[in-house]
Amino acid sequence: AQSVTQLDSQVPVFEEAPVELRCNYSSSVSVYLFWYVQYPNQGLQLLLKYLSGSTLVKGINGFEAEFNKSQTSFHLRKPSVHISDTAEYFCAVTLSGGGNKLTFGTGTQLKVEL
Amino acid sequence: EPEVTQTPSHQVTQMGQEVILRCVPISNHLYFYWYRQILGQKVEFLVSFYNNEISEKSEIFDDQFSVERPDGSNFTLKIRSTKLEDSAMYFCASSGRNIAGNTIYFGEGSWLTVV
């Protein structure tokens, strides 16, 4: 079975600083990878996804992530964060061979400070 | 921007009572899901529903749970006899095709508190 690890439960960062949110996965077969964001009192919104092709994936709001198969990682990055990026970020994985079940990590709370 | 809507946003119920959580998926979507998140824990898959039947369910989705699409627009999750450990945020989601082919859209969640 696949699993996702987000080691950082909270990441504080100053506005305009770069940020990286870490995600590692475990699976014996090929996977698709996703990052979702949850703003306060809102649902989960897809930031970006990796299905195949280029390992660098660009998403909404200036975020990008890089798929690294050898390190089984899919870290999320943004070169310059804004206050409005304060939210909970979830990494998720599903098997590429089929099925519709997303397996989520525990989430990382990004807090952007002035 | 199309959205998935859920009601109620928050429900408090007594242990042993039945609860129905309602969802209106995006109108042209074909796949429907329920996930839940216990406070401080991971978002967990409960069930997926396609073509009027359950296509996949997790170990959590036992006989206490059921899903239904009673008409062309609603998708419900019923918990027959709630337990304290059912307290969680329940997310409904929908997609036009399977995950690889399309984005899953999530609702804002229904927060269930069992007392």
Side-chain angles (χ1 to χ4, degrees), chain B:
Chain B
E1 176 82 25
E3 59 179 24
V4 175
T5 57
Q6 292 185 239
T7 54
S9 57
H10 189 191
Q11 181 164 353
V12 180
T13 190
Q14 291 212 327
M15 193 167 52
Q17 295 296 304
E18 176 182 283
V19 161
I20 297 177
L21 304 178
R22 292 182 168 79
C23 169
V24 179
I26 294 171
S27 62
N28 60 348
H29 280 184
L30 301 175
Y31 291 79
F32 313 109
Y33 316 85
W34 284 100
Y35 285 76
R36 79 171 185 190
Q37 184 181 26
I38 295 172
L39 190 63
Q41 297 186 25
K42 295 182 181 186
V43 177
E44 301 171 293
F45 170 80
L46 290 179
V47 65
S48 61
F49 191 86
Y50 170 70
N51 201 25
N52 284 319
E53 61 183 22
I54 291 173
S55 53
E56 192 171 355
K57 62 181 181 179
S58 71
E59 294 172 352
I60 304 167
F61 195 87
D62 61 21
D63 292 343
Q64 296 279 53
F65 292 89
S66 62
V67 289
E68 195 177 32
R69 187 156 163 80
D71 52 43
S73 60
N74 291 286
F75 180 52
T76 62
L77 174 69
K78 182 192 290 186
I79 309 174
R80 237 178 298 281
S81 177
T82 50
K83 303 187 282 281
L84 294 176
E85 54 265 37
D86 294 327
S87 294
M89 177 74 87
Y90 288 82
F91 292 104
C92 176
S94 70
S95 63
R97 298 200 302 251
N98 61 31
I99 291 179
N102 217 327
T103 298
I104 292 183
Y105 290 86
F106 285 82
E108 293 184 2
S110 293
W111 184 247
L112 176 65
T113 302
V114 182
V115 297

Side-chain angles (χ1 to χ4, degrees), chain A residues 34-56:
Chain A
F34 307 80
W35 275 98
Y36 280 84
V37 60
Q38 185 179 27
Y39 298 105
N41 302 314
Q42 295 188 28
L44 297 166
Q45 181 182 1
L46 181 68
L47 270 179
L48 47 80
K49 60 184 176 184
Y50 172 78
L51 303 182
S52 64
S54 173
T55 57
L56 183 63

Side-chain angles (χ1 to χ4, degrees), chain A residues 53-71:
Chain A
S54 173
T55 57
L56 183 63
V57 180
K58 293 190 184 297
I60 62 172
N61 302 339
F63 284 93
E64 64 181 32
E66 184 153 21
F67 171 60
N68 188 321
K69 189 174 181 179
S70 63
Q71 296 187 5

Side-chain angles (χ1 to χ4, degrees), chain A residues 3 12-13 22 25 27 30 47 60 63 65 68 74 76-77 79 82 84 87-89 92-93:
Chain A
S3 66
V13 63
R22 296 181 293 168
Y25 70 92
S27 175
S30 295
L47 270 179
I60 62 172
F63 284 93
N68 188 321
F74 191 56
L76 181 71
R77 300 187 186 100
H82 299 133
S84 59
E88 185 95 21
Y89 292 79
V93 64

